[in-house]
Amino acid sequence: MRAHLPFLPVVALSLLSAPAAAAAAELTIDGNLTLTSRYMASGQQQTTGAAFQPSIELGYGGAYAGLWASNLSSSLAGHSAEFDISLGYRTQFGPLAVDLGYVRYFYTAPWDASSGQLVLDLSGAPAEGTELGLNIAYDPDARESDISASIGQQIGERFAVAAGYGRVENSHSYWSVGGSYALSDAANVDLTWHDTTVDKGIAVLSLSYDFSLR
């Protein structure tokens, strides 16, 4: 994910303004723990070894606020850790799922903050077991976009394959192809090949676990 603090107070205020019973009924707290052999962002390596990536998201209706983190390799990224804070809204228009949000990237050692990105994520299922996706991320300060498209296909109950292609404006193109296997309803293992026009390709193995606190 890249996948995803100033927005948490906004969500908190919206929750406090609703009746306590309604808030208790609609508030969701979901999370994910991922261990991956490499942290990849737009097809490029951000670590020279494994990365641990926890995340948590608060949802209320279609609105959400999330926090995602990962270790980094200073030799590649110039920092030792990354924290992403996101705020957005998800909704459905017939078969089309729409996710519109903003992500702010923070880095430590040394401490720094990027300008962040506006993100529009569209997805739909034209056929059973098939999912198409389009992700548009735009940095309003740098006036630079990162646009990617993906396709996924479920094969049986536990196995799925996926492929994607993207381009960072004024930089490089990147693509990926891989497969995933559901170990359980919550745990998943994924093996994906990542490649770009500027770096050598690399296979990445990941193990993830989803959980819900509410």
Side-chain angles (χ1 to χ4, degrees):
M1 167 188 328
R2 183 164 174 140
H4 351 136
L5 289 173
F7 315 114
L8 293 176
V10 177
V11 176
L13 287 175
S14 67
L15 294 176
L16 290 173
S17 64
E26 298 187 38
L27 175 66
T28 60
I29 305 176
D30 300 309
N32 173 271
L33 301 174
T34 294
L35 179 63
T36 179
S37 61
R38 289 290 191 280
Y39 169 19
M40 307 295 294
S42 299
Q44 295 188 297
Q45 298 182 54
Q46 305 299 305
T47 58
T48 56
F52 177 60
Q53 301 170 335
S55 65
I56 193 77
E57 181 183 283
L58 280 71
Y60 184 72
Y64 65 86
L67 174 63
W68 180 93
S70 178
N71 57 288
L72 298 171
S73 292
S74 298
S75 59
L76 293 177
H79 303 274
S80 63
E82 174 183 342
F83 299 89
D84 300 350
I85 298 165
S86 60
L87 174 72
Y89 186 82
R90 298 188 184 100
T91 189
Q92 192 85 20
F93 294 100
L96 182 65
V98 180
D99 184 339
L100 179 62
Y102 180 81
V103 184
R104 187 80 176 182
Y105 307 105
F106 295 86
Y107 303 92
T108 62
W111 176 263
D112 190 18
S114 74
S115 57
Q117 290 179 320
L118 294 166
V119 181
L120 173 63
D121 193 75
L122 306 174
S123 62
E128 184 177 356
T130 302
E131 182 170 307
L132 301 178
L134 176 66
N135 182 276
I136 302 172
Y138 179 72
D139 184 333
D141 290 338
R143 298 183 180 180
E144 182 177 270
S145 62
D146 183 347
I147 302 175
S148 62
S150 63
I151 180 170
Q153 179 64 52
Q154 187 73 30
I155 303 175
E157 294 184 358
R158 294 185 177 273
F159 187 67
V161 293
Y165 177 85
R167 175 159 181 80
V168 179
E169 187 178 5
N170 301 320
S171 181
H172 66 281
S173 297
Y174 57 95
W175 53 93
S176 64
V177 60
S180 61
Y181 183 79
L183 301 173
S184 68
D185 290 341
N188 193 76
V189 62
D190 178 280
L191 180 62
T192 300
W193 178 263
H194 296 267
D195 211 341
T196 78
T197 54
V198 293
D199 295 317
K200 293 181 179 180
I202 184 173
V204 176
L205 179 65
S206 302
L207 177 64
S208 63
Y209 177 78
D210 297 320
F211 61 90
S212 179
L213 300 179
R214 191 184 182 89

PDB file of all heavy atoms in Angstrom, residues 15-32:
ATOM      1  N   LEU A  15     -17.462  12.099  14.635  1.00  0.00           N
ATOM      2  CA  LEU A  15     -17.963  11.027  15.496  1.00  0.00           C
ATOM      3  C   LEU A  15     -18.624  11.598  16.746  1.00  0.00           C
ATOM      4  O   LEU A  15     -19.663  11.135  17.187  1.00  0.00           O
ATOM      5  CB  LEU A  15     -16.809  10.095  15.886  1.00  0.00           C
ATOM      6  CG  LEU A  15     -16.183   9.290  14.749  1.00  0.00           C
ATOM      7  CD1 LEU A  15     -15.000   8.488  15.290  1.00  0.00           C
ATOM      8  CD2 LEU A  15     -17.198   8.349  14.112  1.00  0.00           C
ATOM      9  N   LEU A  16     -18.004  12.623  17.328  1.00  0.00           N
ATOM     10  CA  LEU A  16     -18.545  13.210  18.550  1.00  0.00           C
ATOM     11  C   LEU A  16     -19.869  13.914  18.298  1.00  0.00           C
ATOM     12  O   LEU A  16     -20.709  14.034  19.201  1.00  0.00           O
ATOM     13  CB  LEU A  16     -17.530  14.199  19.133  1.00  0.00           C
ATOM     14  CG  LEU A  16     -16.260  13.572  19.725  1.00  0.00           C
ATOM     15  CD1 LEU A  16     -15.279  14.673  20.112  1.00  0.00           C
ATOM     16  CD2 LEU A  16     -16.589  12.699  20.928  1.00  0.00           C
ATOM     17  N   SER A  17     -20.074  14.391  17.086  1.00  0.00           N
ATOM     18  CA  SER A  17     -21.304  15.112  16.787  1.00  0.00           C
ATOM     19  C   SER A  17     -22.498  14.186  16.608  1.00  0.00           C
ATOM     20  O   SER A  17     -23.640  14.618  16.612  1.00  0.00           O
ATOM     21  CB  SER A  17     -21.127  15.940  15.512  1.00  0.00           C
ATOM     22  OG  SER A  17     -20.912  15.088  14.399  1.00  0.00           O
ATOM     23  N   ALA A  18     -22.243  12.866  16.419  1.00  0.00           N
ATOM     24  CA  ALA A  18     -23.321  11.893  16.256  1.00  0.00           C
ATOM     25  C   ALA A  18     -23.720  11.338  17.608  1.00  0.00           C
ATOM     26  O   ALA A  18     -22.944  11.351  18.560  1.00  0.00           O
ATOM     27  CB  ALA A  18     -22.866  10.758  15.338  1.00  0.00           C
ATOM     28  N   PRO A  19     -24.924  10.821  17.726  1.00  0.00           N
ATOM     29  CA  PRO A  19     -25.338  10.174  18.982  1.00  0.00           C
ATOM     30  C   PRO A  19     -24.405   9.032  19.320  1.00  0.00           C
ATOM     31  O   PRO A  19     -23.919   8.326  18.446  1.00  0.00           O
ATOM     32  CB  PRO A  19     -26.754   9.665  18.649  1.00  0.00           C
ATOM     33  CG  PRO A  19     -27.225  10.551  17.535  1.00  0.00           C
ATOM     34  CD  PRO A  19     -26.002  10.879  16.741  1.00  0.00           C
ATOM     35  N   ALA A  20     -24.168   8.831  20.607  1.00  0.00           N
ATOM     36  CA  ALA A  20     -23.197   7.821  21.033  1.00  0.00           C
ATOM     37  C   ALA A  20     -23.582   6.433  20.550  1.00  0.00           C
ATOM     38  O   ALA A  20     -22.739   5.653  20.112  1.00  0.00           O
ATOM     39  CB  ALA A  20     -23.082   7.830  22.561  1.00  0.00           C
ATOM     40  N   ALA A  21     -24.843   6.094  20.578  1.00  0.00           N
ATOM     41  CA  ALA A  21     -25.279   4.758  20.166  1.00  0.00           C
ATOM     42  C   ALA A  21     -25.025   4.537  18.686  1.00  0.00           C
ATOM     43  O   ALA A  21     -24.581   3.470  18.264  1.00  0.00           O
ATOM     44  CB  ALA A  21     -26.761   4.570  20.479  1.00  0.00           C
ATOM     45  N   ALA A  22     -25.309   5.560  17.866  1.00  0.00           N
ATOM     46  CA  ALA A  22     -25.104   5.444  16.425  1.00  0.00           C
ATOM     47  C   ALA A  22     -23.631   5.315  16.113  1.00  0.00           C
ATOM     48  O   ALA A  22     -23.218   4.540  15.247  1.00  0.00           O
ATOM     49  CB  ALA A  22     -25.697   6.659  15.708  1.00  0.00           C
ATOM     50  N   ALA A  23     -22.786   6.095  16.823  1.00  0.00           N
ATOM     51  CA  ALA A  23     -21.350   6.024  16.599  1.00  0.00           C
ATOM     52  C   ALA A  23     -20.827   4.645  16.929  1.00  0.00           C
ATOM     53  O   ALA A  23     -19.991   4.087  16.215  1.00  0.00           O
ATOM     54  CB  ALA A  23     -20.631   7.083  17.446  1.00  0.00           C
ATOM     55  N   ALA A  24     -21.330   4.054  18.026  1.00  0.00           N
ATOM     56  CA  ALA A  24     -20.883   2.729  18.418  1.00  0.00           C
ATOM     57  C   ALA A  24     -21.282   1.692  17.387  1.00  0.00           C
ATOM     58  O   ALA A  24     -20.579   0.708  17.166  1.00  0.00           O
ATOM     59  CB  ALA A  24     -21.468   2.374  19.778  1.00  0.00           C
ATOM     60  N   ALA A  25     -22.433   1.902  16.750  1.00  0.00           N
ATOM     61  CA  ALA A  25     -22.925   0.929  15.779  1.00  0.00           C
ATOM     62  C   ALA A  25     -22.172   1.015  14.461  1.00  0.00           C
ATOM     63  O   ALA A  25     -22.037   0.018  13.766  1.00  0.00           O
ATOM     64  CB  ALA A  25     -24.417   1.143  15.543  1.00  0.00           C
ATOM     65  N   GLU A  26     -21.692   2.205  14.066  1.00  0.00           N
ATOM     66  CA  GLU A  26     -21.127   2.396  12.740  1.00  0.00           C
ATOM     67  C   GLU A  26     -19.611   2.553  12.718  1.00  0.00           C
ATOM     68  O   GLU A  26     -18.998   2.445  11.659  1.00  0.00           O
ATOM     69  CB  GLU A  26     -21.770   3.619  12.078  1.00  0.00           C
ATOM     70  CG  GLU A  26     -23.274   3.461  11.868  1.00  0.00           C
ATOM     71  CD  GLU A  26     -23.843   4.609  11.056  1.00  0.00           C
ATOM     72  OE1 GLU A  26     -23.176   5.083  10.123  1.00  0.00           O
ATOM     73  OE2 GLU A  26     -24.960   5.045  11.377  1.00  0.00           O
ATOM     74  N   LEU A  27     -18.998   2.790  13.830  1.00  0.00           N
ATOM     75  CA  LEU A  27     -17.550   2.943  13.855  1.00  0.00           C
ATOM     76  C   LEU A  27     -16.868   1.594  13.633  1.00  0.00           C
ATOM     77  O   LEU A  27     -17.219   0.604  14.269  1.00  0.00           O
ATOM     78  CB  LEU A  27     -17.106   3.525  15.196  1.00  0.00           C
ATOM     79  CG  LEU A  27     -15.590   3.620  15.413  1.00  0.00           C
ATOM     80  CD1 LEU A  27     -14.979   4.625  14.447  1.00  0.00           C
ATOM     81  CD2 LEU A  27     -15.288   4.001  16.851  1.00  0.00           C
ATOM     82  N   THR A  28     -15.895   1.558  12.726  1.00  0.00           N
ATOM     83  CA  THR A  28     -15.123   0.340  12.486  1.00  0.00           C
ATOM     84  C   THR A  28     -13.645   0.642  12.707  1.00  0.00           C
ATOM     85  O   THR A  28     -13.173   1.754  12.440  1.00  0.00           O
ATOM     86  CB  THR A  28     -15.315  -0.191  11.063  1.00  0.00           C
ATOM     87  OG1 THR A  28     -14.888   0.811  10.114  1.00  0.00           O
ATOM     88  CG2 THR A  28     -16.773  -0.530  10.805  1.00  0.00           C
ATOM     89  N   ILE A  29     -12.924  -0.345  13.202  1.00  0.00           N
ATOM     90  CA  ILE A  29     -11.474  -0.236  13.394  1.00  0.00           C
ATOM     91  C   ILE A  29     -10.850  -1.500  12.808  1.00  0.00           C
ATOM     92  O   ILE A  29     -10.977  -2.582  13.365  1.00  0.00           O
ATOM     93  CB  ILE A  29     -11.090  -0.099  14.881  1.00  0.00           C
ATOM     94  CG1 ILE A  29     -11.826   1.075  15.523  1.00  0.00           C
ATOM     95  CG2 ILE A  29      -9.582   0.081  15.016  1.00  0.00           C
ATOM     96  CD1 ILE A  29     -11.586   1.216  17.012  1.00  0.00           C
ATOM     97  N   ASP A  30     -10.214  -1.347  11.673  1.00  0.00           N
ATOM     98  CA  ASP A  30      -9.614  -2.478  10.972  1.00  0.00           C
ATOM     99  C   ASP A  30      -8.121  -2.253  10.819  1.00  0.00           C
ATOM    100  O   ASP A  30      -7.651  -1.112  10.750  1.00  0.00           O
ATOM    101  CB  ASP A  30     -10.252  -2.665   9.596  1.00  0.00           C
ATOM    102  CG  ASP A  30     -11.741  -2.937   9.684  1.00  0.00           C
ATOM    103  OD1 ASP A  30     -12.119  -3.835  10.460  1.00  0.00           O
ATOM    104  OD2 ASP A  30     -12.517  -2.249   8.991  1.00  0.00           O
ATOM    105  N   GLY A  31      -7.385  -3.349  10.747  1.00  0.00           N
ATOM    106  CA  GLY A  31      -5.942  -3.226  10.621  1.00  0.00           C
ATOM    107  C   GLY A  31      -5.336  -4.330   9.770  1.00  0.00           C
ATOM    108  O   GLY A  31      -6.013  -5.273   9.358  1.00  0.00           O
ATOM    109  N   ASN A  32      -4.039  -4.193   9.542  1.00  0.00           N
ATOM    110  CA  ASN A  32      -3.303  -5.168   8.746  1.00  0.00           C
ATOM    111  C   ASN A  32      -1.850  -5.194   9.212  1.00  0.00           C
ATOM    112  O   ASN A  32      -1.284  -4.153   9.565  1.00  0.00           O
ATOM    113  CB  ASN A  32      -3.376  -4.819   7.259  1.00  0.00           C
ATOM    114  CG  ASN A  32      -2.497  -5.711   6.406  1.00  0.00           C
ATOM    115  OD1 ASN A  32      -1.321  -5.429   6.167  1.00  0.00           O
ATOM    116  ND2 ASN A  32      -3.065  -6.804   5.939  1.00  0.00           N
TER     117      ASN A  32
END
